[in-house]
Amino acid sequence: MSEKTTGASYASAGVDIEAGDRAVELMKEWVKKTQRPEVLGGLGGFAGLFDASALKRYERPLLASATDGVGTKVDIARQMGVYDTIGHDLVAMVMDDIVVCGAEPLFMTDYICVGKVHPERVAAIVKGIAEGCVLAGCALVGGETAEHPGLLGPDDFDVAGAGTGVVEYDRLLGADRIRTGDAVIAMASSGLHSNGYSLVRHVVFDRAGMTLDQQVEELGRTLGEELLEPTKIYSLDCLALTRTTDVHAFSHITGGGLAANLARVIPDGLHAVVDRSTWTPGAIFDLVGRAGQVERLELEKTLNMGVGMMAVVPADSVDAALTTLADRGVDAWVAGEITERGEHTTGAELVGDYAV
């Protein structure tokens, strides 16, 4: 008599549908906190719904969209077992790109890919995304959690997101507004944010032999706590600035560093000069530079060096801009100016030495 065999199932292949359903239930309360009046329906539909009739108040509405992830910073979260902050990074990477053109963030969707669904872990990730959406003023209208056994280890995960915003056509910010004599205002970062972690991880782990639980005196906390510091979300601060001053452009300082990102909004014929002596980068930047013997120019084209967002405003709007940012608790200062482009200059450059 032949032995009875058991047929294959989704569960035996490594996908736990029940765990996925529990993760959805756990995340619902956090998603609800992000709701805007334009959002229709709840979590669980095939698509998120946003009432576009809300755009009727615009004469010529332009939709702005962006998508991004947080890179290898997710591995720090995995190693530390901390999952409720990485969502802040995701929202910042998406929505602070959208606000650069002056757009108001409207809604966002996320994609979470895991090797194995741990419901509480997935819910914690979504909690962080939802909290970030509240800070950016947008709704989290939907997302997807995908279980990929065999491709990812049981504890591995990655996150990505996409967002949409809206701006009035005649209020669109960018290079065409910038003029000679404009001031460049820098807004302090909360640390490394979410860029350059491949370099940072190589330096602190492979070259310096440091550990995440290692207390680092100059940081005033453990290395892991520093590396997992959430990215600052500037969206509502930037929008407040557009209401109180004549902002010409914003630049979100992400991968590529300060000069390269600022150059993206500088028009042909003009040049942004940023003076390093106007600020002192945080201790983490010095630590990475020393531990890896990384040259300054390499650091500057990889990390934000303490500046997460920049605004270009007319010289006579500087005081109002700094007051608005100070009132919102944003550390900001005049870091440079816009000049005519010389024969051998590019869109933006850093000059001088950092303040000690």
Side-chain angles (χ1 to χ4, degrees):
M1 187 174 180
S2 63
E3 184 176 321
K4 186 177 180 180
T5 59
T6 301
S9 67
Y10 216 6
S12 68
V15 177
D16 189 339
I17 294 177
E18 292 182 358
D21 291 340
R22 172 162 169 72
V24 171
E25 288 301 315
L26 291 173
M27 68 179 71
K28 279 184 177 179
E29 66 170 297
W30 298 107
V31 175
K32 188 176 181 180
K33 295 178 185 296
T34 76
Q35 296 303 285
R36 292 172 49 125
E38 304 95 337
V39 176
L40 303 179
L43 193 66
F46 285 95
L49 298 175
F50 190 91
D51 187 355
S53 68
L55 305 184
K56 289 181 178 179
R57 69 179 187 270
Y58 292 84
E59 292 186 11
R60 186 180 175 184
L62 301 180
L63 293 180
S65 66
T67 185
D68 210 338
V70 299
T72 57
K73 188 172 183 176
V74 297
D75 193 53
I76 305 299
R78 180 191 63 79
Q79 291 186 59
M80 294 186 65
V82 176
Y83 301 97
D84 62 352
T85 63
I86 204 76
H88 287 234
D89 300 289
L90 181 62
V91 176
M93 290 298 98
V94 173
M95 287 307 178
D96 283 349
D97 274 356
I98 283 176
V99 81
V100 161
C101 68
E104 173 193 355
L106 295 176
F107 58 86
M108 183 169 174
T109 57
D110 64 61
Y111 179 80
I112 303 171
C113 181
V114 300
K116 178 179 176 57
V117 171
H118 301 278
E120 289 76 14
R121 187 177 301 175
V122 172
I125 295 171
V126 174
K127 171 180 178 286
I129 297 172
E131 291 173 338
C133 284
V134 171
L135 293 174
C138 66
L140 181 60
V141 298
E144 172 73 8
T145 300
E147 195 170 23
H148 288 176
L151 293 180
L152 297 175
D155 292 326
D156 292 338
F157 76 100
D158 199 5
V159 295
T164 300
V166 62
V167 60
E168 188 69 73
Y169 174 79
D170 62 9
R171 296 184 64 83
L172 184 67
L173 304 181
D176 62 318
R177 290 178 177 259
I178 295 178
R179 300 289 182 267
T180 302
D182 282 355
V184 178
I185 292 178
M187 301 178 217
S189 70
S190 55
L192 292 169
H193 284 185
S194 300
N195 300 103
Y197 272 74
S198 293
L199 171 64
V200 172
R201 289 165 58 247
H202 170 66
V203 166
V204 299
F205 299 144
D206 300 337
R207 295 184 65 116
M210 301 177 72
T211 60
L212 289 172
D213 61 357
Q214 183 174 333
Q215 191 73 28
V216 183
E217 183 177 354
E218 59 262 47
L219 300 178
R221 53 181 171 176
T222 67
L223 176 65
E225 289 169 335
E226 178 70 29
L227 297 186
L228 208 57
E229 178 68 33
T231 304
K232 182 169 177 56
I233 298 173
Y234 301 93
S235 302
L236 296 183
D237 303 317
C238 290
L239 290 179
L241 211 54
T242 65
R243 292 191 295 267
T244 60
T245 65
D246 181 24
V247 179
H248 287 169
F250 289 114
S251 177
H252 187 197
I253 311 305
T254 57
L258 194 155
N261 280 285
L262 183 56
R264 294 167 66 180
V265 298
I266 305 301
D268 291 341
L270 296 185
H271 181 61
V273 180
V274 176
D275 186 354
R276 297 184 184 95
S277 70
T278 60
W279 82 97
T280 303
I284 185 62
F285 302 100
D286 181 59
L287 186 152
V288 172
R290 285 187 292 101
Q293 296 181 310
V294 184
E295 295 183 0
R296 185 171 71 178
L297 291 180
E298 182 67 22
L299 281 177
E300 291 177 339
K301 72 179 185 181
T302 307
L303 308 178
N304 67 57
M305 302 306 292
V307 177
M309 182 73 77
M310 305 197 88
V312 181
V313 305
D316 59 7
S317 294
V318 167
D319 289 344
L322 293 178
T323 297
T324 294
L325 293 171
D327 289 344
R328 297 184 60 82
V330 179
D331 182 14
W333 63 95
V334 176
E337 64 176 339
I338 305 299
T339 65
E340 296 287 343
R341 186 175 300 192
E343 182 179 354
H344 301 293
T345 56
T346 56
E349 68 172 329
L350 304 181
V351 300
D353 293 319
Y354 292 111
V356 178

